[in-house]
Amino acid sequence: MSDITEKPMPKSDEEWRSALTPERYAVLRKAATEAPFSGALLHNKDSGMYACAACGNELFSSERKFDSGSGWPSFTEPADREHVILENDTSFGMRRTEVKCKRCGSHLGHLFDDGPGPEGTRYCINSTALEFEKR
Ligand SMILES: [Zn+2]
């Protein structure tokens, strides 16, 4: 496990804007959704860890990744439930559960209840919100 406290995080919106690419800023800090089937990590089958692209917090393991057909990287479970926050999201007239990084509060994607695992959970995550570390 890497030490997630090693580097200081941006605090203001301006700092986030300069620390991230425009695409990542829009998704992570403004809760935008990338176009389906556009993400670089969508079809990634390598073994490793998917970390928050904003702060490096370890979020999802390749062991829980599956092809949902939705067009976004999908996971049945986070690597550690303590590393994510789940919040009610009623934007766009829908009732959804938003998935955020617990460490930096960045938007990652949404949680749905149609997953293939025993828990039935599907974490639908923007590829651009993730940084993959091959192991
Ligand atoms: Zn983060």
Side-chain angles (χ1 to χ4, degrees), residues 9 32 37 41 47 66 78 80 100 104 116 118 121 123-124:
M9 276 188 292
F37 301 101
L41 295 170
S47 295
F66 70 100
D80 186 332
K100 295 167 104 173
C104 71
T121 46
Y123 288 76
C124 184

Side-chain angles (χ1 to χ4, degrees), residues 52 54-55 57 101 103-104 106:
C52 173
C55 76
N57 187 13
C101 171
R103 181 170 179 240
C104 71
S106 289

Side-chain angles (χ1 to χ4, degrees), residues 6-91:
E6 65 201 11
K7 73 178 170 184
M9 276 188 292
K11 289 181 186 69
S12 71
D13 189 55
E14 264 321 297
E15 286 176 297
W16 279 117
R17 195 189 290 270
S18 58
L20 300 168
T21 65
E23 189 191 23
R24 282 187 161 166
Y25 175 80
V27 170
L28 289 158
R29 306 309 304 182
K30 296 295 170 192
T33 298
E34 70 191 11
F37 301 101
S38 72
L41 295 170
L42 176 60
H43 297 297
N44 182 31
K45 301 254 195 290
D46 291 337
S47 295
M49 183 62 73
Y50 294 84
C52 173
C55 76
N57 187 13
E58 294 184 343
L59 298 172
F60 298 96
S61 162
S62 58
E63 288 169 28
R64 302 296 177 89
K65 189 173 189 286
F66 70 100
D67 183 4
S68 66
S70 69
W72 292 280
S74 301
F75 304 86
T76 54
E77 284 291 316
D80 186 332
R81 290 267 188 100
E82 295 299 309
H83 287 197
V84 299
I85 315 174
L86 302 177
E87 284 183 0
N88 288 328
D89 175 8
T90 54
S91 62

